[in-house]
Amino acid sequence: MKKIHLIYISFFTLILTVLLSCSSNTNKPSVNDEQKLWETIAEFNQAFKNSNVEKLKEMITDNYIHTNGSSESINKNTWVNYLHKRNKDIENGDLIVNAYEMSEETVQFYDNVAIVTAKILVSNTRQGNLQENGFRVTNIWVRENGNWKRAGFHDGKIK
């Protein structure tokens, strides 16, 4: 009888250990890791505002997925092609980015993954016409070799 109790206790201890090791709080990043994420996001947003395509390519994963509220999901290559077209519009003056601001940021960590939500306000002048838009966004960031990279994006227009 004592042997059976010992087996149950051992089994319960094993299950408890597995459950605790799967908890999202056990691998919460350090304050420095979280700070690095916010710095990376700020750098990413600045690169997007300034149309630094090469920098943006470095900051997204190879299997990146990008979805806008009004279109189908696209992969890294398709998004980079969009960035090149956008860059040409900026270079020839057809598009002027007046503002690109992120606010109301939240983050939830899951091991080496961070889900970031925010509000983005964008002001552009396209061929002389002012356009102002607001979006709610969800970004998925993964930590690869100590660096945060954006793995996924989705937005929904709010204004």
Side-chain angles (χ1 to χ4, degrees):
M1 192 63 133
K2 289 182 182 182
K3 191 174 187 181
I4 291 175
H5 287 282
L6 207 52
I7 291 172
Y8 284 130
I9 290 170
S10 296
F11 180 73
F12 178 75
T13 302
L14 175 64
I15 295 298
L16 187 58
T17 302
V18 169
L19 289 174
L20 289 175
S21 70
C22 291
S23 168
S24 64
N25 293 330
T26 59
N27 292 320
K28 185 174 179 179
S30 69
V31 173
N32 288 339
D33 288 335
E34 185 170 349
Q35 181 180 347
K36 173 84 169 159
L37 172 63
W38 291 119
E39 289 170 358
T40 301
I41 291 170
E43 184 179 356
F44 188 96
N45 289 343
Q46 191 66 32
F48 183 75
K49 180 181 179 187
N50 296 333
S51 194
N52 187 338
V53 178
E54 292 308 310
K55 183 69 172 170
L56 292 167
K57 280 171 46 177
E58 294 172 6
M59 297 182 78
I60 59 177
T61 61
D62 290 337
N63 57 349
Y64 179 70
I65 298 293
H66 188 98
T67 306
N68 293 105
S70 60
S71 64
E72 295 180 12
S73 296
I74 58 176
N75 63 20
K76 179 178 183 171
N77 290 336
T78 304
W79 192 63
V80 169
N81 287 339
Y82 156 77
L83 293 174
H84 283 296
K85 181 182 179 306
R86 179 179 177 269
N87 190 53
K88 285 180 186 174
D89 288 346
I90 290 170
E91 286 178 349
N92 68 24
D94 287 340
L95 175 63
I96 300 167
V97 180
N98 305 312
Y100 186 87
E101 299 169 4
M102 182 182 235
S103 63
E104 300 178 23
E105 303 97 336
T106 65
V107 64
Q108 181 63 52
F109 291 97
Y110 301 91
D111 296 328
N112 289 319
V113 176
I115 299 174
V116 175
T117 61
K119 180 179 178 180
I120 301 283
L121 296 177
V122 182
S123 174
N124 294 325
T125 303
R126 183 173 286 281
Q127 297 176 336
N129 297 314
L130 179 65
Q131 300 173 337
E132 293 182 336
N133 294 299
F135 301 92
R136 290 283 175 195
V137 298
T138 303
N139 293 269
I140 301 169
W141 290 84
V142 296
R143 196 171 22 201
E144 289 184 353
N145 302 317
N147 296 313
W148 288 104
K149 288 190 171 192
R150 195 161 90 172
F153 172 89
H154 184 270
D155 73 10
K157 193 171 185 178
I158 56 174
K159 84 171 196 174

